[in-house]
Amino acid sequence: GKPLEITPLNGKSLVSIRSFKANSVNTKASFDSTTDRIKKSVASKNDISRRPIVADFRGRVIIAEPCALLFCSMFPSINVRHNLNKDLPLDRAQLCILGTASVKFNIIGMQFCPENNRHLLVWGTTEVCVIVLNDACDSIEKTIELEVELEPHECDTEYLLKGMWFPGSESITVVIFGTF
């Protein structure tokens, strides 16, 4: 056979299809207590990034709002065929919201399980849980709170940095903590 010839792209490689108004969704976590505010400042100072938006293979998006999950379908939002104002940003009313659900903590990050798109790992600064979504992926079927054992003398300085699924598993998770 003939070797594949790869040439670099010139110009833009990704083009924005649709955009949303700045206040359409609230992805900012609310930090009410003094401890939460300290953890927020430590996280931002140490470049710990948030993952407030995840998407599955069907085009469904889950957005983390303060202590809540917003389930959306992106395909109607990006369908520009029948939309005359495709250059105008969308607001919350035009977002195809499938459902909402509350969680017990401020969400720092989320990750879908690569083996099962109904399993969602959700973590905060010190809490973590696995959320099992219903078949339509528009609400929570079950929440499994994972127990995290922090050292009693380090509770105020220990932070959950990242959560992830163990490769090839839909039942084993890994959480990474750091002390600052």
Side-chain angles (χ1 to χ4, degrees):
K2 183 179 172 185
L4 180 65
E5 293 182 28
I6 299 175
T7 58
L9 293 173
N10 293 323
K12 293 183 181 179
S13 59
L14 294 174
V15 179
S16 174
I17 298 174
R18 295 303 302 259
S19 62
F20 291 92
K21 291 182 181 174
N23 294 331
S24 297
V25 293
N26 181 12
T27 58
K28 292 183 179 180
S30 74
F31 294 96
D32 297 330
S33 72
T34 305
T35 305
D36 286 342
R37 283 191 293 259
I38 291 169
K39 287 182 179 185
K40 178 189 175 197
S41 69
V42 168
S44 60
K45 192 186 316 180
N46 291 293
D47 201 26
I48 299 168
S49 61
R50 290 188 64 226
R51 295 191 60 184
I53 300 173
V54 293
D56 70 2
F57 69 96
R58 297 184 291 180
R60 301 196 186 227
V61 173
I62 300 177
I63 301 169
E65 292 193 313
C67 296
L69 297 173
L70 185 68
F71 301 96
C72 305
S73 177
M74 286 291 107
F75 289 131
S77 301
I78 62 173
N79 184 0
V80 294
R81 182 182 305 171
H82 303 293
N83 191 341
L84 300 175
N85 297 326
K86 60 185 173 193
D87 295 328
L88 296 175
L90 300 174
D91 60 12
R92 190 177 182 99
Q94 295 168 307
L95 187 62
C96 185
I97 297 174
L98 303 172
T100 59
S102 63
V103 292
K104 295 181 180 178
F105 54 87
N106 278 308
I107 300 168
I108 299 299
M110 303 180 289
Q111 185 182 34
F112 272 114
C113 176
E115 305 298 319
N116 186 339
N117 260 347
R118 288 184 53 213
H119 294 182
L120 179 69
L121 183 65
V122 179
W123 65 91
T125 54
T126 56
E127 310 88 350
V128 63
C129 68
V130 173
I131 293 177
V132 179
L133 304 174
N134 67 350
D135 289 332
C137 292
D138 58 5
S139 67
I140 296 174
E141 186 174 290
K142 183 179 180 182
T143 301
I144 304 166
E145 294 183 24
L146 303 180
E147 187 174 325
V148 178
E149 295 182 19
L150 300 176
E151 294 294 329
H153 63 281
E154 293 180 345
C155 285
D156 291 337
T157 59
E158 200 161 25
Y159 306 96
L160 202 156
L161 303 176
K162 185 177 182 180
M164 63 184 98
W165 292 94
F166 195 77
S169 174
E170 62 180 87
S171 61
I172 301 173
T173 62
V174 177
V175 290
I176 301 170
F177 279 85
T179 304
F180 298 107

